[in-house]
Amino acid sequence: MSRKRKANRRKTQDVQQAIEPLVKRSKSNEDGASTFTTPQGQVLPSCLEKYWRRRHDFFHKYDEGIQIDEVGWYSVTHEVIAEDTAARVAQLYSPTAQSSEEMDFGRLCVVDAFCGVGGNAIKFATWCEHVIAIDIDPVRLEMARHNAQVYGVADRIEFILGDFYELAPMLKADVVYLSPPWGGVSYIDAPVFDLDSLPFHTASEWLDRARLISQNIVYYLPRNCDPHELAGMYPSASCNVELNYIDGYLRAITTYYGELAGYGSTGARTLAP
């Protein structure tokens, strides 16, 4: 870890300690569930406090006005994973770029099929020329737009309110990023996550929809998925299954299909927070 990263991490820890007395907890609300109130006044279920405590892991600019709703707290991708994914996707156009500052944006276009509050779309816009960010929830989509403005990349993102499954036949892009809803925080309770249990459509159905746009697909799914099952969903394409580790913990599994399989690593990948 670089000195700058260590310094930033110490600063974040100092801020955490300073605001701890400002976090208000309640034993129960009208539904009988315990809640806590953040210093910003957001009331959240107590089960989400562990995500709130890692808020700077999701958005390092969180304190600059980042907006996250209740679903967003357990849905947003760790920022280092989002950055790593965007850098890998960018190699399709500029294989030698080592940072977003060196990137020749060209005409690379990425569809973020379930953008949520914008974590991945922001990183794609840092590395790629154009991002199509789709979400079915209007409030969450506006949060994504706001967060992109905080990061200064909103001008490279086209925000679309709608259902990706319905929109896919009309879209054109170089890469599709899939991170469909996992069904809430209970996904981790299963020894092996059932890819047919995703809300609305199965994992294979979402993948088939993305294939209408491009063979270059990134699939971000729970860490308890079966990697062999992920590889078998698109047998006609090259595939690379990557296990995303942060601080020694497996956080998620990212699968790259098509030309994207030829870049980056295979298997376990440790990312520095």
Side-chain angles (χ1 to χ4, degrees):
M1 186 184 298
S2 67
R3 291 182 179 179
K4 184 177 180 180
R5 280 187 177 274
K6 288 181 179 179
N8 288 339
R9 200 168 188 185
R10 283 196 297 269
K11 183 178 179 181
T12 298
Q13 291 171 344
D14 291 341
V15 171
Q16 291 271 29
Q17 294 174 358
I19 67 174
E20 172 61 25
L22 302 178
V23 177
K24 300 178 181 179
R25 296 177 179 82
S26 175
K27 289 186 178 180
S28 64
N29 57 20
E30 294 179 356
D31 298 324
S34 59
T35 63
F36 74 101
T37 304
T38 71
Q40 293 78 22
Q42 186 177 19
V43 180
L44 295 169
S46 294
C47 63
L48 297 183
E49 186 170 354
K50 63 180 181 180
Y51 298 102
W52 177 80
R53 290 187 176 280
R54 299 204 305 269
R55 59 198 177 279
H56 297 100
D57 293 342
F58 304 129
F59 292 99
H60 76 273
K61 291 191 175 185
Y62 176 83
D63 295 329
E64 297 179 33
I66 290 296
Q67 297 177 356
I68 310 177
D69 70 342
E70 187 172 315
V71 173
W73 278 110
Y74 60 79
S75 302
V76 66
T77 306
H78 279 72
E79 194 167 50
V80 291
I81 297 178
E83 179 85 31
D84 187 69
T85 300
R88 179 164 177 168
V89 165
Q91 289 182 326
L92 277 178
Y93 186 81
S94 185
T96 60
Q98 298 298 312
S99 69
S100 57
E101 288 77 13
E102 299 176 14
M103 183 64 193
D104 178 3
F105 289 103
R107 295 184 180 275
L108 196 64
C109 176
V110 179
V111 171
D112 185 349
F114 310 87
C115 76
V117 295
N120 287 97
I122 288 169
K123 290 305 176 181
F124 284 130
T126 303
W127 284 85
C128 306
E129 182 188 49
H130 186 63
V131 179
I132 300 173
I134 302 169
D135 204 273
I136 202 168
D137 185 284
V139 175
R140 206 164 297 130
L141 192 70
E142 284 306 308
M143 286 183 173
R145 190 192 308 274
H146 168 83
N147 294 340
Q149 290 170 347
V150 172
Y151 276 79
V153 296
D155 60 322
R156 291 203 288 274
I157 305 178
E158 178 183 358
F159 296 93
I160 298 178
L161 177 65
D163 183 345
F164 170 73
Y165 199 84
E166 300 298 327
L167 293 171
M170 298 175 282
L171 299 174
K172 295 183 181 298
D174 302 292
V175 176
V176 180
Y177 177 80
L178 293 175
S179 180
W182 297 351
V185 295
S186 62
Y187 71 88
I188 199 61
D189 296 335
V192 178
F193 184 78
D194 181 4
L195 295 177
D196 289 337
S197 69
L198 290 174
F200 311 114
H201 299 282
T202 67
S204 294
E205 289 172 339
W206 286 123
L207 183 63
D208 289 343
R209 216 60 175 171
R211 291 170 60 185
L212 297 176
I213 304 169
S214 174
Q215 68 162 345
N216 300 314
I217 300 167
V218 184
Y219 219 146
Y220 183 76
L221 286 165
R223 61 180 181 261
N224 52 338
C225 288
D226 180 353
H228 297 92
E229 190 175 0
L230 294 173
M233 285 197 302
Y234 194 173
S236 63
S238 298
C239 174
N240 184 321
V241 179
E242 189 174 271
L243 311 181
N244 305 128
Y245 282 85
I246 301 176
D247 287 335
Y249 292 95
L250 178 60
R251 298 296 184 182
I253 296 178
T254 305
T255 306
Y256 297 87
Y257 300 97
E259 294 178 61
L260 292 170
Y263 299 98
S265 61
T266 301
R269 180 166 173 75
T270 300
L271 302 169

